[in-house]
């Protein structure tokens, strides 16, 4: 993505808006929703089709902070009817299951509500608002973010068959460009000198969706000698289950029967059985952490996965995106109302402060609950990994025995507080 390219060919079409948003994930769609409530015009451009973004299976836990935001901005109706309120989780290790009560520790909860449901609610709201969302765009490039006239160039096919036909070159002029284009997006590359920091974990998650009623009332996080396993859910009829696997593993190596047997082993508890059902989705996700040095440069700002990825054990990816956008909406409101630019710089500082606290929490959960088998050398290192495992068991036992430690987990899990940066008028 280039920044200042003076010799661009003339576009076929010019569009104008106040805020150009790249990416129609939860971050981009929520920002467009919040801006619309303030009467600030935005155009969203998205690489994928509407069907694709509506179908994507992603996370499923909303912290209380996120639920409060969604309710406040008119997106709470279906969430309140269909979301499942959970007042705690189960931590399992050493063959025993321990309930951790968020309610008792901090008086707060989380809600089980799939990310694709949040996206569906946002799309329904945008349909009503008439938001301009351009799908199936290609070759997106951000220009002139150092000037007061930034713009985004992209291409889209004119034909309904998106693989053939003439390409239309579009220029989207805006006052601010927002990169909400996820981890694989390109917007952050338009920030000169941006630094990134990250970590690749030596394990991945195999996630499955199964048509079977959950066998548990609340989520089970289990550390087993053979690796981590989790029992989550999406609804009273659909279970979501995860297994720690090797990052080099492929789903072909995991036929359904092997998945159920491994889940049975890692979640086993005397007197408890895991219900089985048809597996409708199966995918392996690498586990990484990553964050940028700044989320703002000139007329370009970043939000959501474009700026940070957390490992999924803390269930924080979607929630961090919501927190970013909540703050960004407030900063943009001040920009458009009063021309006050300081708030955009402050947005980056404040958002990253939360990001690094949540990186710490997600990393803590991840390392506490996954086995590092120590096979970098190709030879299992039982001396070191056996030591690590026993220390993890000690850590978990201390956690469930210590109210202050439980309160720390519960505080993070149900969501750090968010100040209201600029209430909508
Ligand atoms: N041009 C236009 N759109 C793009 C481009 C591009 N160059 N690159 C990526 N996109 C789109 C992707 O197709 C995707 O729809 O940007 C969107 C980014 O959405 P997400 O990856 O969902 O990221 P974000 O909106 O920040 O959501 C936060 O929380 O649960 C986690 O990772 C999970 O998606 C989740 C995230
Ligand atoms: C999920 O249901 O997808 C989920 C739940 C809890 C996590 C991560 C993912 O920590």
């Amino acid at each position: 993505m280039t920044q200042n390219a003076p010799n661009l060919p003339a576009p076929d079409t010019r569009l104008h808006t106040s805020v150009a948003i790249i990416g129609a994930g939860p971050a981009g769609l929520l920002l467009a929703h919040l801006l619309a409530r303030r009467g600030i015009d935005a155009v969203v451009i998205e690489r994928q089709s509407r069907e694709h973004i509506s179908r994507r299976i992603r996370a499923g836990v909303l912290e209380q902070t996120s639920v409060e935001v969604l309710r406040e901005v008119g997106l709470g109706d279906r969430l309140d009817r269909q979301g499942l309120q959970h007042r705690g989780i189960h931590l399992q290790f050493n063959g025993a299951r321990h309930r951790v009560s968020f309610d008792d520790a901090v008086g707060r909860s989380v809600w089980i509500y799939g990310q694709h449901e949040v996206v569906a609610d946002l799309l329904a709201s945008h349909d009503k608002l008439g938001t301009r969302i351009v799908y199936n765009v290609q070759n997106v490039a951000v220009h002139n973010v150092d000037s007061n006239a930034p713009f985004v160039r992209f291409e889209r096919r004119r034909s309904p068959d998106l693989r053939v036909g003439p390409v239309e070159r579009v220029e989207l002029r805006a006052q601010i460009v927002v990169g909400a284009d996820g981890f694989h997006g390109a917007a952050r590359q338009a920030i000169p000198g941006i630094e990134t920091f990250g970590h690749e974990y030596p394990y991945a998650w195999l996630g499955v969706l199964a048509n079977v009623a959950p066998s548990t009332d609340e989520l089970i996080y289990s550390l087993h000698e053979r690796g981590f396993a989790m029992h989550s859910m999406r609804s009273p009829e659909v279970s979501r289950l995860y297994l720690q696997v090797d990052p080099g593993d492929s789903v072909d190596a995991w036929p359904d029967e092997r998945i159920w047997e491994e889940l049975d082993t890692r979640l086993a508890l005397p007197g408890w059985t895991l219900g089985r059902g048809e597996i409708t989705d199966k995918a392996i996700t690498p586990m990484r952490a990553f964050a940028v040095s700044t989320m703002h440069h000139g007329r370009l700002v970043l939000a959501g996965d474009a700026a940070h990825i957390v490992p999924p054990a803390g269930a924080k990816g979607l929630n961090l995106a919501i927190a970013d956008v909540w703050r960004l909406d407030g900063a943009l409101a001040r920009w458009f109302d009063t021309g006050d630019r300081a708030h955009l710089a402050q947005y980056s500082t404040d958002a990253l402060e939360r990001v690094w606290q949540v990186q710490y929490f997600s990393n803590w959960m991840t390392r506490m609950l996954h086995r590092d088998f120590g096979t970098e050398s190709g030879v299992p290192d039982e001396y070191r990994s056996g030591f690590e495992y026993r220390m993890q068991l000690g850590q978990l036992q201390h956690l469930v025995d210590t109210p202050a430690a439980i309160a720390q987990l519960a505080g993070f899990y149900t969501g750090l507080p968010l100040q209201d940066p600029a209430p909508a008028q």
Side-chain angles (χ1 to χ4, degrees):
M1 227 177 235
T2 49
Q3 227 197 320
N4 295 309
N7 299 320
L8 290 171
D12 302 307
T13 308
R14 275 210 174 85
L15 300 174
H16 295 264
T17 187
S18 300
V19 183
I21 300 175
I22 308 172
L29 291 173
L30 179 60
L31 181 63
H33 176 93
L34 299 184
L35 293 174
R37 294 179 81 235
R38 298 181 185 276
I40 299 173
D41 186 62
V43 171
V44 184
I45 62 171
E46 166 58 49
R47 186 160 63 180
Q48 304 286 354
S49 66
R50 177 171 174 146
E51 294 64 44
H52 181 97
I53 65 159
S54 308
R55 268 201 324 262
R56 253 182 330 215
I57 302 296
R58 291 268 181 88
V61 177
L62 289 175
E63 56 187 34
Q64 181 158 333
T65 308
S66 299
V67 170
E68 285 161 3
V69 166
L70 294 173
R71 282 182 182 148
E72 186 165 333
V73 303
L75 292 165
D77 288 358
R78 214 162 59 91
L79 164 61
D80 280 329
R81 273 183 280 121
Q82 294 175 21
L84 308 172
Q85 183 175 7
H86 282 194
R87 295 180 168 83
I89 54 171
H90 301 284
L91 287 178
Q92 183 168 330
F93 55 95
N94 249 345
R97 203 170 278 175
H98 307 258
R99 173 149 194 276
V100 169
S101 168
F102 301 152
D103 211 12
D104 292 348
V106 293
R108 288 163 66 80
S109 308
V110 295
W111 276 256
I112 304 300
Y113 193 64
Q115 179 169 315
H116 64 281
E117 305 291 0
V118 175
V119 168
D121 294 342
L122 283 163
L123 288 174
S125 147
H126 285 305
D127 286 343
K128 276 198 207 126
L129 292 164
T131 310
R132 287 179 288 171
I133 305 178
V134 187
Y135 295 99
N136 302 304
V137 304
Q138 301 167 359
N139 296 326
V140 176
V142 182
H143 297 282
N144 287 9
V145 295
D146 281 312
S147 80
N148 58 11
F151 61 94
V152 182
R153 279 290 190 98
F154 61 91
E155 295 173 357
R156 67 173 167 192
R157 300 252 177 222
R158 290 199 178 112
S159 109
D161 179 346
L162 298 162
R163 284 155 306 178
V164 296
V167 166
E168 179 186 13
R169 265 199 305 262
V170 184
E171 183 169 295
L172 172 59
R173 294 198 159 264
Q175 295 186 52
I176 301 279
V177 177
V178 177
D181 49 353
F183 179 66
H184 298 289
R188 68 175 170 272
Q189 283 151 32
I191 298 187
I194 193 169
E195 288 180 87
T196 56
F197 311 98
H199 181 71
E200 310 283 323
Y201 292 88
Y203 25 77
W205 272 13
L206 166 66
V208 302
L209 209 54
N211 284 334
V212 57
S215 309
T216 178
D217 53 347
E218 292 170 335
L219 273 48
I220 306 167
Y221 288 78
S222 174
L223 170 65
H224 187 270
E225 208 170 356
R226 293 173 61 82
F228 173 74
M230 179 160 71
H231 190 335
S232 179
M233 62 197 73
R234 285 293 174 275
S235 71
E237 297 83 34
V238 176
S239 295
R240 178 80 169 143
L241 298 139
Y242 294 100
L243 283 171
Q244 173 185 350
V245 296
D246 195 84
D249 245 334
S250 104
V251 286
D252 300 338
W254 285 93
D256 296 2
E257 186 57 28
R258 182 177 175 207
I259 293 175
W260 289 119
E261 278 173 15
E262 196 62 34
L263 285 166
D264 277 344
T265 305
R266 297 193 200 175
L267 293 169
L269 193 72
W272 179 84
T273 42
L274 176 65
R276 295 185 180 192
E278 181 203 2
I279 292 183
T280 56
D281 190 86
K282 197 189 287 190
I284 292 182
T285 319
M287 208 170 285
R288 62 162 66 92
F290 142 88
V292 292
S293 53
T294 179
M295 294 168 70
H296 168 236
H297 176 83
R299 295 289 180 110
L300 174 63
V301 275
L302 304 176
D305 275 17
H308 41 74
I309 295 279
V310 287
K316 286 288 172 242
L318 171 61
N319 294 294
L320 263 189
I322 292 173
D324 282 357
V325 164
W326 179 247
R327 279 213 172 84
L328 179 54
D329 166 63
L332 290 176
R334 288 204 167 90
W335 168 292
F336 285 105
D337 285 352
T338 64
D340 176 354
R341 289 155 189 233
H343 284 277
L344 267 196
Q346 195 58 39
Y347 158 70
S348 173
T349 307
D350 291 348
L352 284 171
E353 190 180 293
R354 185 186 191 87
V355 166
W356 283 111
Q357 290 186 51
V358 172
Q359 288 284 9
Y360 160 68
F361 168 68
S362 305
N363 184 72
W364 174 65
M365 288 285 280
T366 303
R367 290 182 195 267
M368 180 167 68
L369 290 164
H370 292 74
R371 290 232 42 205
D372 180 350
F373 292 106
T375 51
E376 295 94 356
S377 60
V379 184
D381 181 353
E382 182 49 36
Y383 182 69
R384 182 175 73 78
S385 74
F387 175 81
E388 295 289 338
Y389 177 54
R390 283 158 183 79
M391 202 160 58
Q392 287 170 298
L393 297 177
Q395 182 183 12
L396 282 159
Q397 191 63 54
H398 173 76
L399 170 57
V400 298
D401 287 345
T402 311
I406 290 175
Q408 185 187 17
L409 191 161
F412 267 118
Y413 201 103
T414 58
L416 299 173
L418 248 188
Q419 268 112 34
D420 187 353
Q425 292 96 13

